Amino acid sequence: MNVRNFIVPSAVLAATLLSGSAFAAGGEPQDGTTLKAVRAVAQAPQKVFRGHQADQLLALETGVRPRDVRMIETTVARNARYQFGWQQKTGKRFAEALGSDRYNAWSRGHSIQLYSPAVIEEANRMAGRAPNSSTLERVAVNP
């Protein structure tokens, strides 16, 4: 079940019901506290890509082929060693291009941010967004 469709509306409903009795006497809470306005902070649009699309975006970010990204992902997921020297070199080049922090997070199965302008342009194309409309500013990939 999706969190946005169930838990968040339920929490808002519960908060509304619980605060209703506080405003019953004249619009102010009965305990004498005052309520402060909450300001929403607009965040840049972000989309999380998975599977084949994530492999393509990682390939653009790192300069390796999408099938090599899948090979590296499979090797890391199985906690195995590379069978050939070219695989080891490709894996090392992939890790260096991502950087140690992002590579470690990615290899543990966490989402990572991609920043390359080519990746953002391709992600907008994959998401079906026109270049002049609301475009993605940040892209995340999940292994």
Side-chain angles (χ1 to χ4, degrees), residues 6 11 16 36 42 55 73 89 99 101 103 115 119 125 127 130 134:
F6 180 71
T16 305
K36 296 179 182 177
D55 295 342
E73 184 176 5
K89 287 178 185 177
D101 292 338
Y103 178 77
Y115 309 107
V119 170
R125 190 193 63 73
S134 63

Side-chain angles (χ1 to χ4, degrees), residues 21-25 28-33:
S21 62
F23 292 106
E28 286 292 320
Q30 294 175 354
D31 61 358
T33 61

Side-chain angles (χ1 to χ4, degrees), residues 39-104:
R39 192 176 107 208
V41 178
Q43 295 182 351
Q46 178 178 10
K47 181 169 174 59
V48 178
F49 290 90
R50 292 178 176 83
H52 182 66
Q53 290 181 333
D55 295 342
Q56 290 178 337
L57 293 175
L58 280 168
L60 276 174
E61 180 87 359
T62 59
V64 299
R65 295 180 298 188
R67 73 178 198 174
D68 291 337
V69 172
R70 278 184 244 111
M71 178 268 306
I72 294 166
E73 184 176 5
T74 304
T75 304
V76 168
R78 293 180 182 169
N79 202 16
R81 293 183 181 215
Y82 296 108
Q83 295 178 356
F84 304 105
W86 68 267
Q87 291 175 333
Q88 187 174 9
K89 287 178 185 177
T90 304
K92 185 176 180 181
R93 191 176 67 192
F94 177 81
E96 287 174 352
L98 279 182
S100 62
D101 292 338
R102 289 195 300 167
Y103 178 77
N104 289 334

